[in-house]
């Protein structure tokens, strides 16, 4: 499994998504928005589970300051779009949630592979965050992050005030 590092070209990302006008999220389109400093792409295992809900709600609660600093946010999971729509509605998530059921994007970003779950090796989503700069390169790549406190640490890394 290849993981991305700062300076690498970010893989293309166009997926069906919630909360978008045309029902898809396009990284290229998000990066092209005026004043954009980057796009925070976070990968999570499953909508409506405790850890993923914590992380999503932390992004929701930090969204105004991230957007104010020039960052867009998108969450990516292998969940079907219908489940993501329920997740977004249930938790008032106002940023796009993208569906990658065949995990092609997850693979390309190094967020799919073997990870530990309750002490056992399982294949699935590796909770990760990649920040893509306006030029399409990786600015920040974090793998095996913990759901709790991750957004606060990312904000610090990006220099976004609390």
């Amino acid at each position: 499994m290849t993981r991305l590092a700062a300076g690498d070209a970010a893989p293309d990302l166009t997926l069906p998504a919630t909360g978008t006008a045309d029902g898809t999220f396009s990284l290229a389109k998000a990066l092209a928005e005026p004043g954009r400093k980057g796009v925070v792409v976070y990968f999570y295992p499953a909508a409506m589970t405790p850890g993923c809900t914590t992380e999503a709600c932390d992004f929701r609660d930090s969204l105004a300051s991230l957007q104010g600093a020039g960052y867009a946010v998108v969450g990516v999971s292998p969940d079907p779009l219908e489940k993501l729509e329920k997740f977004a509605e249930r938790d008032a998530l106002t940023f796009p949630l993208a569906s990658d059921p065949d995990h092609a994007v997850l693979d390309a970003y190094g967020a799919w592979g073997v990870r530990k779950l309750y002490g056992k090796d399982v294949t699935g989503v590796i909770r990760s965050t990649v920040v893509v700069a306006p030029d399409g390169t990786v600015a920040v790549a974090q793998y095996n992050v913990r759901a709790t406190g991750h957004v606060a640490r990312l904000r610090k890394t990006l220099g976004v005030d609390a």
Side-chain angles (χ1 to χ4, degrees):
M1 171 185 53
T2 302
R3 292 197 172 162
L4 298 175
D8 289 348
D12 183 38
L13 191 170
T14 302
L15 292 169
T18 67
T20 63
D22 65 357
T24 62
F25 177 85
S26 162
L27 178 62
K29 191 185 294 185
L31 288 171
E33 291 180 17
R36 181 68 64 222
K37 280 180 133 176
V39 175
V40 176
V41 183
Y42 82 95
F43 301 93
Y44 62 99
M48 297 194 275
T49 57
C52 296
T53 298
T54 295
E55 186 177 27
C57 289
D58 283 352
F59 273 113
R60 177 200 64 204
D61 296 345
S62 292
L63 190 61
S65 60
L66 286 166
Q67 288 176 331
Y71 294 95
V73 174
V74 61
V76 178
S77 80
D79 293 308
L81 194 55
E82 298 77 25
K83 185 174 181 184
L84 297 178
E85 288 167 346
K86 289 177 186 172
F87 186 35
E89 184 177 336
R90 184 192 80 175
D91 292 297
L93 304 176
T94 55
F95 53 87
L97 298 175
S99 175
D100 186 22
D102 64 0
H103 55 83
V105 170
L106 287 155
D107 276 330
Y109 276 78
W112 183 268
V114 176
R115 63 185 176 97
K116 293 281 186 194
L117 181 65
Y118 304 113
K120 295 182 180 182
D121 286 342
V122 296
T123 299
V125 177
I126 299 164
R127 191 181 304 277
S128 311
T129 298
V130 175
V131 180
V132 182
D135 67 358
T137 61
V138 173
V140 175
Q142 300 174 334
Y143 293 92
N144 293 308
V145 301
R146 295 203 177 277
T148 304
H150 169 60
V151 176
R153 289 186 296 277
L154 179 64
R155 289 166 53 92
K156 187 174 182 179
T157 299
L158 297 175
V160 175
D161 295 327

